[in-house]
Amino acid sequence: MLIATTSDIAGRRITETLGLARGSTVRAKHLGTDIVANLKSLVGGEIGGYSSLMAGAREQALDRMIADAQRLGADAIVCVRMETSAIKGGASEIVAYGTAVRFDAA
C-alpha cells in the first residue's frame, strides 16, 4: 500500500477515489512510566517511555488506516494526516486518515 501526504503519487494516475480511510487508537500511560517521567523532569531530556508509547500508537493507527483502505480495495492512500488529542488525564488518541484511491491499471 502506497501512502503519501501529497494529493498524488509521482508516476501514477489516480482513476478512482474510494473515500476516507481511517484508523485510530487510544493509549494510556503506565504508572511506572509516570514515575520515571517525574524523575526525568527534574533533570530534563527526552522521556523515552512516552516517546515509545506514542510511536507504537502512531504505527497502530497507520496499520488500522491501511487495513481500512484495503477493505475499500485501494491501491494507495493520499493526503494522509495524523492528529492526536487528549481523551482524559493520561490517555491520548491518535488518528490517521487519508483518501483511499485506485490507480490506472497500466
Side-chain angles (χ1 to χ4, degrees), residues 23-27 54 57 83-87 91-95:
S24 67
T25 187
V26 175
R27 297 284 179 100
M54 295 308 290
E83 293 184 18
T84 186
S85 62
I87 299 297
S92 294
E93 178 186 33
I94 301 280
V95 178

Side-chain angles (χ1 to χ4, degrees), residues 14-65:
I14 294 171
T15 58
E16 189 176 357
T17 300
L18 302 172
L20 180 67
R22 63 189 174 276
S24 67
T25 187
V26 175
R27 297 284 179 100
K29 297 185 293 185
H30 181 275
L31 178 61
T33 303
D34 278 348
I35 292 168
V36 172
N38 287 330
L39 293 173
K40 187 71 169 181
S41 68
L42 297 173
V43 296
E46 180 179 7
I47 301 171
Y50 290 161
S51 295
S52 176
L53 175 74
M54 295 308 290
R58 284 189 297 274
E59 290 303 314
Q60 186 171 45
L62 285 170
D63 288 346
R64 289 177 176 176
M65 177 188 67

